[in-house]
Amino acid sequence: MTGWRYTAAAVGVLALGLTACATTTGTGSKPGAAAAAKPVEKVEAKPLPKGLDGAASTGFPSTYAPLPSRPTAFVGATILTATGQQIDNGVVVVSGGKITAIGGPGTAVPADTAVVDAKGKWITPGIIDAHSHLGVYPSPGVSARSDGNEATDPNTAQVWSEHSVWPQDPGFNRARAGGVTTLQILPGSANLFGGRSVTLKNVPSLTMQGMKFPGAPYGLKMACGENPKRVYGGKGRSPSTAMGNVAGFRKAWIDAADYTRKWDDYRAKVQKGEKADAPKRDLQLDTLSGVLKGEILVQNHCYRADEEAVMIDIAREFGYKITMFHHAIESYKIGALLAKEDICSATWASWTGFKMESLDGIDANAALLWKAGACVVIHSDDPIMTQRLNQEAAIAMTAGNRLGYGISRAEAIKWITANPAKAMGIGDKTGSIEPGKAADLVLWSRDPFSVYAQAEQVYVDGALTYDRHDPKYQPKSDFELGQTGQGAFN
Amino acid sequence: MIRSFLLAGVACAALAAPAMAQTIAITNARIEPVSGPAIPSGTIVLKDGKIAALGAGIAPPAGATVIDAKGGVITPGLIAPSSNLTASEVSGVRETRDDGTGSALSAAFDIAYSVNPASAMIGLARDGGITASAVTPVLSGAGGGAHEHADDGVVEDMTAGAAGAGDPPLFGGQAAFVRLQAGDTDLVEGSRLAVTVSLGESGARAAGGSRGASIVLIKSALEDARAFARNRAAFEQGATREFGLSRLDLTALVPVVQGKTPLLVRVHRASDIRLALKLAADEKIRIILEGAEEGWVVAPEIAKAGVPVILDSQADLPESFETIGSRLDNAARLHAAGVTVAINGSRDFNNLRQERLNAGLAVANGLPYAAGLASVTLAPAKIWGQADRIGSLEVGKTADVVLWTGDPLETTSWADKVFIGGVEQPRDSRQTQLRDRYAAPDNGLPPAYR
């Protein structure tokens, strides 16, 4: 954090911890509450009509409730805690949806706790995919359900991916069978500003709201590089070049800074009890303003190292922070810079050369970044790969070990658990096996870095949500009923 | 400029390699011949480009270069059963894609002419233990049924069929087979080995819109090819009825109707697979199935017809209405029914290295280990008519051999040494050179000087 040049206000917000800026629960903040606080003079400060105060809007509230659970102890497994530890013959105790104890064979198991014999098995935190389009680009991939790219303007910061999520996407179930318990659902990369991301608990739900991760901050999907200029250049519009991309980013941030100033002025006046006219709420600028205030995390699709460096300078110019570069296939070239700036890089291990900006992809990208002390995330962007992020991480780990780096499983597991949790602003809630964290756990048949490993049981907030050996816990989407593939798990 | 410099470097390294294979003995290895049971600890001898001996009690011949495998695993070189390696460089760059016919030709498109032995992707594939590949044209009616990659849909947009004007052609063209030896200017081992065609959604598009048209048009084309073959003279004199395809396309289909080369049929839905099997029986032609996500539904019928299948074992999503029944145990079920199964890597992401892991995934989902190994070696060799020379470790076969650090289907193993025709291959690729440049310590100068 020290290397960053924030405005004092932004530093203040960040110092509270990113997750303190929770924007999704819908509880605890009432519209107009801030505006109504402590009027100095007796000027009538009417709360703004519903829907007109962007800062008070926390999105449509989460209705997520964990599935039923009971206190459980997993005994005898090899545990990767994602805090850097591998515990052999370990014990994890779970109660009330939280992890209550973790340790070696001597760890006490409280009375009235169900015991799962996990000898020979491995336990990891639930897998977190920081780059998913499940629900917004669901299966089947037909145009009627192609809801991931609002490719009508290079700036669509006003759209929210959660409003496109189809919770019946069978891909959610497949991902869960691969151990995925939390997903960041992003808009696509057609636009410079694609819109807000949403973080979901990977539980079967009739509604998107029933999956929304309580307390998770929003992200803003940005895309540099080839996609925006291809999409809009192809329509004879700006951007059609890399410099057009950058001009588009800067214009939007200027507008956002101006909008932020107007709202800040308004609130200051209200605070002082002066008469004030509220600016008209603008959904697009609300989101960008949320970034400038440090409440919304920038999730920036960007392949090339040189373009990442330009994006970092844009962020400096306007005083915001880039949380993570996605598809950051060239991050290995600037590992030291990314470590200094505390920006994570989300990457695949094995995809390369499918477009010009991916030409320099190497399987050791993650390992070189790790060696440089930078934050590494292995992501999928793909409904197939998301089912085996453990293997993708294994490929990345192996590429490093081929160089003699000696990357342990205890380290590499962070790339698909603790690190994406951090980059999604939920690192205090999930992503590692520590007392107090959510009991999001995967019980693996064997070493999860093996090609032969299978997730046998998947727990979300302490509740069993998938069991490879019990058809009762193999949820199927409505779409799959009556179709050929039913029961694809057994 | 950097790129051409690197390519030149690779080529020089390759040319510097000995043209004649030395005698090499690899000792202390677990040997997986594929054609027979594993040898837990043995020696393999490579001589004059061929496998001279293998077994537990083999002594290295005098003068042989001895390599201690230290318990590593030896397999035949892996074979990609259907890829665009050497015919497509960067899938998102149209100018580098020569794996589709466009609108000029249909069955006559010959991908052997597209092969670029200097492709920078060859080294990457070889680094993953791939020593040979079937090179097959893109689907006719490209895009149908294929997964649209959400964030980078560019791949689909750039396939030749989709980019061309008008309807895509009915047939995709003719397949070739390449071996990946460094420094060779001609990698093509065989050409015109099959004609590709799509059924289902892609086939429907190529046939003008629906499934009902595609089989009719394919049967009509085969009938025309037969008539053409029977009396070429009449055709030359303009004395035949009008044929639906050009002279070139008909010529390409003649070996198919004669049963000499197969149709490679890309097909997904169970009902479409049945149509393909019936087409083969009615027309007395040979076919290979590719895709076959719902193959498990009709596994006994495929087995009974003796038709081999090339599949992607990762496909388990109803990504389209013709892959509703996709399952991770498709390979296992097909194998159990007696079907020859070959497993593919990823076509457009230059990720043929995924092929061996896909075989491992199939094993994790019930495919016997031996069948998993065969699915990336002997099975594709048989499918493409190469099994007399490659695909298994047998005395007299060509020495395309890989020494692995461990289980070749495992994520944590890698190809330590790769031999093609008994010659050890360079271990570098564009990717490893990039890796080594940026893994190198800072020397105070820009990385371009490393």
Side-chain angles (χ1 to χ4, degrees):
Chain A
M1 291 280 179
T2 48
W4 268 87
R5 300 167 201 170
Y6 292 113
T7 62
V11 171
V13 169
L14 285 165
L16 295 172
L18 293 166
T19 49
C21 311
T23 56
T24 62
T25 55
T27 57
S29 69
K30 289 172 191 148
K38 297 181 196 168
V40 177
E41 293 172 36
K42 196 174 179 186
V43 172
E44 196 180 358
K46 277 195 288 188
L48 286 170
K50 273 198 160 192
L52 285 191
D53 186 347
S57 169
T58 54
F60 303 147
S62 170
T63 58
Y64 168 75
L67 298 179
S69 66
R70 54 180 184 167
T72 305
F74 302 87
V75 176
T78 304
I79 302 166
L80 297 173
T81 60
T83 59
Q85 268 191 296
Q86 175 175 326
I87 302 172
D88 296 327
N89 194 15
V91 175
V92 185
V93 185
V94 164
S95 181
K98 306 276 189 210
I99 292 156
T100 53
I102 163 88
T107 306
V109 175
D112 300 327
T113 301
V115 172
V116 173
D117 179 5
K119 278 199 180 57
K121 319 278 188 195
W122 289 57
I123 291 176
T124 67
I127 306 303
I128 300 176
D129 192 347
H131 195 119
S132 172
H133 300 290
L134 289 177
V136 302
Y137 278 121
S139 296
V142 293
S143 60
R145 287 277 156 76
S146 181
D147 289 319
N149 260 316
E150 180 63 29
T152 52
D153 193 89
N155 183 353
T156 59
Q158 71 273 19
V159 305
W160 301 34
S161 65
E162 66 193 60
H163 303 145
S164 277
V165 168
W166 181 47
Q168 298 285 351
D169 182 356
F172 286 120
N173 297 328
R174 301 294 194 281
R176 193 181 312 108
V180 176
T181 56
T182 305
L183 298 141
Q184 176 165 239
I185 309 299
L186 293 150
S189 56
N191 305 341
L192 299 173
F193 298 93
R196 287 200 198 197
S197 66
V198 65
T199 296
L200 300 180
K201 291 266 187 185
N202 193 10
V203 291
S205 170
L206 283 177
T207 64
M208 164 279 293
Q209 293 89 328
M211 303 172 79
K212 275 180 90 170
F213 194 116
Y218 282 108
L220 169 64
K221 173 70 177 290
M222 293 174 65
C224 64
E226 294 176 15
N227 288 6
K229 63 180 186 166
R230 186 185 74 245
V231 170
Y232 294 97
K235 294 174 180 173
R237 295 178 57 185
S238 182
S240 69
T241 60
M243 58 189 173
N245 284 353
V246 172
F249 291 130
R250 298 173 84 200
K251 179 187 184 308
W253 290 123
I254 290 166
D255 290 346
D258 190 51
Y259 180 78
T260 305
R261 179 181 60 79
K262 284 175 180 158
W263 272 96
D264 286 350
D265 287 353
Y266 162 74
R267 289 186 209 291
K269 282 181 179 170
V270 170
Q271 191 81 19
K272 284 188 259 175
E274 294 171 17
K275 192 167 172 3
D277 214 12
K280 185 179 175 187
R281 183 183 181 196
D282 181 305
L283 284 174
Q284 184 179 96
L285 294 167
D286 261 358
T287 293
L288 299 181
S289 185
V291 170
L292 295 180
K293 287 176 174 296
E295 296 163 2
I296 295 176
L297 312 182
V298 170
Q299 308 289 349
N300 196 340
H301 159 124
C302 207
Y303 283 79
R304 261 169 41 194
D306 59 315
E307 292 196 318
E308 289 175 1
V310 170
M311 296 311 291
I312 288 170
D313 273 343
I314 296 172
R316 283 182 179 143
E317 183 179 12
F318 294 97
Y320 67 89
K321 172 162 172 57
I322 298 164
T323 298
M324 182 151 74
F325 287 120
H326 293 238
H327 312 344
I329 230 165
E330 284 193 12
S331 278
Y332 67 93
K333 298 183 181 180
I334 53 167
L337 173 66
L338 295 167
K340 181 165 91 57
E341 300 287 345
D342 189 29
I343 298 174
C344 294
S345 295
T347 183
W348 309 277
S350 53
W351 289 5
T352 181
F354 47 93
K355 58 200 296 201
M356 279 311 287
E357 61 191 358
S358 75
L359 201 58
D360 288 1
I362 61 171
D363 56 9
N365 185 24
L368 264 59
L369 284 164
W370 176 83
K371 190 83 170 166
C375 166
V376 176
V377 169
I378 300 292
H379 69 355
S380 81
D381 184 29
D382 182 79
I384 295 291
M385 188 189 285
T386 195
Q387 303 174 43
R388 279 171 292 280
L389 281 172
N390 53 318
Q391 291 183 23
E392 197 67 8
I395 296 166
M397 174 183 78
T398 301
N401 290 340
R402 213 176 149 173
L403 291 170
Y405 286 1
I407 304 170
S408 67
R409 283 160 172 74
E411 275 297 303
I413 194 68
K414 294 179 188 172
W415 301 346
I416 51 174
T417 55
N419 291 4
K422 175 196 163 194
M424 289 155 62
I426 52 174
D428 59 335
K429 298 178 175 65
T430 186
S432 60
I433 305 181
E434 297 174 86
K437 287 269 181 90
D440 297 344
L441 299 171
V442 185
L443 182 69
W444 300 90
S445 59
R446 54 189 287 171
D447 170 11
F449 290 87
S450 166
V451 76
Y452 307 115
Q454 292 184 315
E456 293 196 335
Q457 293 185 333
V458 180
Y459 293 82
V460 177
D461 287 316
L464 182 64
T465 58
Y466 170 76
D467 189 330
R468 187 168 297 273
H469 303 299
D470 186 349
K472 286 205 300 283
Y473 286 93
Q474 294 167 2
K476 294 171 191 70
S477 146
D478 287 353
F479 177 76
E480 294 185 272
L481 296 184
Q483 307 268 28
T484 309
Q486 278 196 76
F489 300 128
N490 49 37
Chain B
M1 276 203 326
I2 289 172
R3 183 162 172 268
S4 50
F5 167 77
L6 290 176
L7 285 174
V10 171
C12 290
L15 291 172
M20 283 295 293
Q22 300 168 287
T23 300
I24 294 162
I26 309 172
T27 63
N28 193 21
R30 175 181 173 84
I31 301 172
E32 295 277 3
V34 182
S35 52
I39 300 155
S41 182
T43 296
I44 186 166
V45 179
L46 317 181
K47 188 179 178 190
D48 299 330
K50 300 210 185 301
I51 296 166
L54 76 167
I58 305 284
T65 304
V66 177
I67 298 167
D68 182 355
K70 295 176 183 155
V73 180
I74 291 189
T75 67
L78 306 191
I79 300 169
S82 178
S83 86
N84 58 12
L85 183 66
T86 69
S88 168
E89 194 74 2
V90 184
S91 51
V93 176
R94 180 69 189 88
E95 296 85 344
T96 71
R97 298 202 62 164
D98 295 306
D99 58 336
T101 171
S103 53
L105 297 172
S106 178
F109 170 71
D110 188 345
I111 206 166
Y113 296 119
S114 302
V115 170
N116 174 17
S119 166
M121 301 305 170
I122 292 175
L124 180 65
R126 217 169 33 216
D127 188 48
I130 308 263
T131 57
S133 176
V135 189
T136 56
V138 290
L139 316 187
S140 58
H147 166 54
E148 185 190 331
H149 182 49
D151 226 8
D152 285 298
V154 62
V155 171
E156 291 301 328
D157 297 342
M158 290 288 175
T159 51
D167 288 337
L170 193 61
F171 296 95
Q174 299 170 93
F177 194 87
V178 296
R179 281 170 68 231
L180 304 178
Q181 61 276 15
D184 196 337
T185 54
D186 183 9
L187 304 181
V188 178
E189 203 76 5
S191 60
R192 302 177 194 174
L193 297 179
V195 172
T196 67
V197 70
S198 297
L199 295 183
E201 291 176 13
S202 297
R205 198 164 312 137
S210 75
R211 283 174 166 84
S214 81
I215 294 281
V216 173
L217 285 176
I218 293 166
K219 286 177 84 85
S220 168
L222 297 175
E223 190 184 325
D224 287 357
R226 281 198 187 88
F228 171 79
R230 272 197 303 272
N231 197 346
R232 288 193 196 214
F235 179 88
E236 298 294 346
Q237 290 157 14
T240 57
R241 65 179 166 81
E242 203 177 318
F243 292 137
L245 294 174
S246 71
R247 177 178 61 85
L248 295 170
D249 292 326
L250 290 170
T251 304
L253 285 172
V254 167
V256 173
V257 295
Q258 292 173 340
K260 289 177 185 163
T261 61
L263 267 188
L264 175 66
V265 184
R266 264 103 180 217
V267 60
H268 313 282
R269 198 170 80 180
S271 66
D272 292 323
I273 295 172
R274 284 200 184 96
L275 285 177
L277 296 176
K278 184 161 189 325
L279 177 79
D282 290 353
E283 301 289 330
K284 298 185 173 55
I285 59 170
R286 291 162 53 210
I287 61 171
I288 303 162
L289 301 180
E290 182 174 339
E293 286 83 354
E294 293 189 354
W296 61 274
V297 178
V298 288
E301 294 159 62
I302 300 171
K304 193 174 166 209
V307 169
V309 171
I310 299 168
L311 59 81
D312 175 355
S313 61
Q314 294 192 89
D316 71 342
L317 273 170
E319 287 187 311
S320 72
F321 273 91
E322 59 186 353
T323 60
I324 294 280
S326 303
R327 295 178 59 102
L328 287 173
D329 58 4
N330 189 28
R333 288 173 180 237
L334 284 165
H335 171 79
V339 178
T340 296
V341 174
I343 291 180
N344 241 343
S346 153
R347 183 180 179 94
D348 282 317
F349 289 90
N350 295 307
N351 193 14
L352 300 183
R353 296 174 301 170
Q354 185 68 32
E355 171 182 317
R356 66 186 182 89
L357 304 179
N358 286 353
L361 177 66
V363 170
N365 287 281
L367 185 70
Y369 184 80
L373 268 186
S375 74
V376 291
T377 54
L378 193 53
K382 282 180 176 164
I383 287 170
W384 292 104
Q386 310 292 320
D388 57 329
R389 289 169 296 120
I390 58 174
S392 61
L393 303 178
E394 296 174 65
V395 172
K397 273 200 168 180
T398 301
D400 292 1
V401 171
V402 180
L403 169 60
W404 302 89
T405 58
D407 178 356
L409 307 188
E410 185 57 279
T411 49
T412 47
S413 308
W414 62 85
D416 192 32
K417 291 183 189 300
V418 176
F419 301 86
I420 299 181
V423 177
E424 187 172 353
Q425 299 297 300
R427 295 175 65 173
D428 68 343
S429 65
R430 194 168 172 277
Q431 274 68 25
T432 61
Q433 292 190 22
L434 278 163
R435 176 197 70 192
D436 294 345
R437 165 174 282 183
Y438 288 93
D442 189 346
N443 65 358
L445 290 170
Y449 292 94
R450 289 179 207 151

